Amino acid sequence: MTRALTLIRRRLVGSTFVLLIVIIGTFLLLEAAPGDAVDAYIVSTGGDAGMIELLRHRWGLDQSGLTRLANYLWALLHLDLGQSVTFSRPIREVILERLPTTLLLMVSATALSFGLGSALGIYAGARPGSFRDRFLSIGSLALYAVPGFWLGLVLIVVFAVDLRWLPIGGIESLASDKTGFARAADIARHLVLPVSALGFIYLALYLRMMRAGMAEAWRQDFILAARARGLSRRRIVLAHVARNALLPLVTMLGLQSAQMLGGSVVIESVFAVPGLGRLAQEAVASRDTPLLLGIILTSAVLVIAINLAVDIAYAFLDPRVGASEAGA
């Protein structure tokens, strides 16, 4: 428990500086981009010079960049993300409305990719060089090379348009009065295609990593010792080979969280899923800088939290890592 608390404290201190760099870097990049929210608003609705000046003053765009950055950092200290220019609402409310959908998509896709990918990797690595090993290795490589948006479009054409087994997009049926289990089942049907499109890409990665880890573990001395003790091949695979090959996958689970979050932006756009990804797309289109900053900050916090959880899990799985972190 002491090692876990020490690890959490160290990670939180480092994460504070990471978040500060993310916020300042993102703000400066957005400032360097041409145009602003007023330009996007005038292009879509029209307006005269007086309206432009009024909007710039109302949204604080008539101030210098450093002044707005200082005001934004001061507001963050009070947990205030500001007002959305597009929605005319507090950004915290807008993000909290979309965040559960993105989390549901990410958790489902991660469970699919990690669980099924690990299982197939164990199945392939149990007999290195066999037909099933080569077949799954080649298949995973081909799947990993497929772009996520293309896989999503193919799934829509096959299962939603041609076969009509699943809905084309959205998170649930419109104007539906379903509640309880019926609503959960409806949401699950809508998530099948986007979760598959997002999860299958990373499934291939976990499969190949597990298979490679098991191939390396087969050459270790402790496997020879297990064989000499007369243990069955099934027990050697599950209790020794797969267990040691699983540790790198736990590390990769944290590293892939940022890519999974980035991939959800594309998948949410393809399947019209109302999550943070689509919200970011809307914020970019309307040049809603405060909203985009809030989305990026939320995404950074999510990635840091996931990696912290993975580090703690890894410390418990391998006590040597936890001891080195605590003693550093």
Side-chain angles (χ1 to χ4, degrees):
M1 188 65 180
T2 304
R3 289 189 288 111
L5 292 176
T6 302
L7 180 62
I8 292 173
R9 184 170 61 251
R10 288 180 177 274
R11 290 292 187 266
L12 289 178
V13 172
S15 299
T16 302
F17 292 101
V18 171
L19 288 176
L20 187 61
I21 293 173
V22 169
I23 294 170
I24 296 177
T26 304
F27 186 91
L28 294 178
L29 286 175
L30 293 176
E31 280 293 304
D36 54 26
V38 174
D39 295 329
Y41 181 84
I42 295 300
V43 167
S44 60
T45 62
D48 54 17
M51 179 179 291
I52 293 175
E53 183 178 355
L54 176 63
L55 290 176
R56 289 189 184 280
H57 178 72
R58 178 184 300 173
W59 295 338
L61 297 176
D62 56 346
Q63 301 174 350
S64 66
L66 291 178
T67 301
R68 284 187 284 118
L69 176 59
N71 292 337
Y72 184 74
L73 292 175
W74 178 253
L76 283 181
L77 290 177
H78 299 81
L79 302 180
D80 181 14
L81 297 178
Q83 290 283 125
S84 169
V85 174
T86 306
F87 297 93
S88 299
R89 294 172 54 199
I91 293 174
R92 182 169 52 187
E93 294 181 3
V94 178
I95 291 178
L96 289 178
E97 285 181 358
R98 303 288 189 98
L99 182 59
T101 301
T102 296
L103 289 178
L104 181 60
L105 177 61
M106 283 184 60
V107 170
S108 302
T110 301
L112 172 66
S113 60
F114 186 83
L116 186 56
S118 301
L120 291 176
I122 294 174
Y123 182 70
R127 296 189 178 275
S130 62
F131 171 77
R132 70 189 187 192
D133 179 28
R134 292 171 181 165
F135 176 78
L136 288 174
S137 297
I138 295 174
S140 64
L141 181 61
L143 185 60
Y144 187 67
V146 175
F149 73 90
W150 185 85
L151 179 59
L153 293 175
V154 170
L155 291 176
I156 289 175
V157 171
V158 175
F159 294 100
V161 178
D162 292 343
L163 298 177
R164 298 187 178 182
W165 289 353
L166 296 167
I168 292 178
I171 190 63
E172 60 182 317
S173 301
L174 296 176
S176 174
D177 296 330
K178 297 178 181 179
T179 58
F181 180 77
R183 187 187 179 195
D186 182 53
I187 293 175
R189 287 186 69 249
H190 283 77
L191 281 176
V192 169
L193 293 183
V195 166
S196 300
L198 183 59
F200 279 166
I201 305 299
Y202 300 100
L203 179 151
L205 178 63
Y206 290 123
L207 190 159
R208 293 184 65 83
M209 285 195 62
M210 174 61 82
R211 188 266 171 199
M214 292 186 67
E216 179 66 25
W218 278 115
R219 296 191 288 266
Q220 302 299 318
D221 293 337
F222 67 88
I223 299 299
L224 296 177
R227 285 177 171 176
R229 293 199 306 269
L231 298 180
S232 65
R233 187 180 184 87
R234 179 184 180 88
R235 184 174 179 181
I236 292 175
V237 168
L238 296 179
H240 298 281
V241 180
R243 181 179 180 181
N244 283 272
L246 187 63
L247 289 176
L249 266 71
V250 175
T251 303
M252 183 56 65
L253 187 63
L255 297 176
Q256 289 294 326
S257 60
Q259 295 187 23
M260 182 75 75
L261 188 59
S264 67
V265 175
V266 178
I267 297 302
E268 288 178 8
S269 299
V270 171
F271 290 94
V273 177
L276 284 183
R278 286 201 68 196
L279 185 63
Q281 184 184 26
E282 296 169 6
V284 171
S286 60
R287 292 303 311 273
D288 193 342
T289 300
L291 178 57
L292 192 56
L293 282 170
I295 295 171
I296 294 174
L297 177 61
T298 303
S299 302
V301 171
L302 279 177
V303 172
I304 290 173
I306 293 172
N307 279 275
L308 177 60
V310 169
D311 287 341
I312 295 173
Y314 199 96
F316 280 106
L317 290 173
D318 190 348
R320 296 170 299 177
V321 176
S324 64
E325 287 283 353

